[in-house]
Amino acid sequence: MKPRPQPLDSVDQQLIALLRENARAPTAALARSLGLSRTTVQSRLERLERSKVITGYSVRLSETQERGTVHAYVMITVKPKHASQVEREVRKLKDVRVLQAVSGAFDLMALAVTDSIAEMDELIDAIGELDGVERTTSSIVLSTKVSSAEKLPSFFSVS
């Protein structure tokens, strides 16, 4: 059974919203924004980290820095009873940034980022050759029309 999400009070929710905007904000600045003492905010942060509500902090690269990289969504159909095995193997692929179980025609969807089309081609072939993968379908990202990374849930972090 999966653990249930911890209920968050309004202060925790505001604190998390501030961290989504700037995960590097100093505790003192967070405290000022919330109208709380620095030690209270520090205690809340430690509690949220200890209870695994906050599991880490990430970096979002600028479009300029990401320019030249190739992004693709790889939809994966898995043979029956092979999902765990495929997940373990995909986790080992350094260029896969996100792997999610999805409903619909496919079982898994991976977001992959490589430095070239040739590397993406090799990666997609490698995923297709994994034991337990029945089929893959991929879509190369041509452009990003809307990007609100700070609004994405943490499970979809693409940084």
Side-chain angles (χ1 to χ4, degrees):
M1 179 184 271
K2 290 186 178 182
R4 292 187 164 201
Q6 179 178 328
L8 302 174
D9 66 18
S10 64
V11 175
D12 286 343
Q13 291 174 2
Q14 290 172 21
L15 177 57
I16 290 169
L18 290 170
L19 290 170
R20 281 188 172 140
E21 289 176 26
N22 180 6
R24 292 189 51 158
T27 306
L30 295 169
R32 273 192 305 281
S33 295
L34 295 169
L36 299 171
S37 72
R38 193 190 69 70
T39 55
T40 299
V41 170
Q42 187 63 46
S43 294
R44 282 180 175 267
L45 284 171
E46 289 170 1
R47 177 180 48 80
L48 291 169
E49 290 169 354
R50 194 173 45 254
S51 63
K52 305 290 187 221
V53 171
I54 295 176
T55 58
Y57 302 87
S58 66
V59 173
R60 289 189 310 261
L61 297 177
S62 69
E63 276 191 48
T64 303
Q65 191 63 36
E66 287 278 12
R67 191 170 293 132
T69 58
V70 178
H71 293 68
Y73 290 95
V74 183
M75 287 65 72
I76 306 166
T77 303
V78 178
K79 294 177 184 172
K81 300 185 180 184
H82 285 81
S84 295
Q85 176 184 349
V86 170
E87 178 186 334
R88 277 192 306 275
E89 293 304 311
V90 171
R91 280 180 186 268
K92 297 175 186 176
L93 301 171
K94 70 174 180 62
D95 292 325
V96 173
R97 291 198 182 171
V98 178
L99 179 66
Q100 297 175 302
V102 296
S103 63
F106 306 99
D107 302 303
L108 300 170
M109 184 170 69
L111 172 61
V113 180
T114 61
D115 289 330
S116 69
I117 291 290
E119 288 177 24
M120 184 62 73
D121 187 39
E122 290 175 17
L123 177 62
I124 293 168
D125 286 348
I127 292 171
E129 292 169 1
L130 293 174
D131 191 35
V133 171
E134 187 173 293
R135 166 173 60 95
T136 64
T137 302
S138 57
S139 294
I140 303 291
V141 176
L142 300 176
S143 67
T144 300
K145 301 300 183 187
V146 176
S147 178
S148 298
E150 67 277 357
K151 294 180 184 178
L152 289 174
S154 61
F155 66 79
F156 198 75
S157 178
V158 292
S159 3

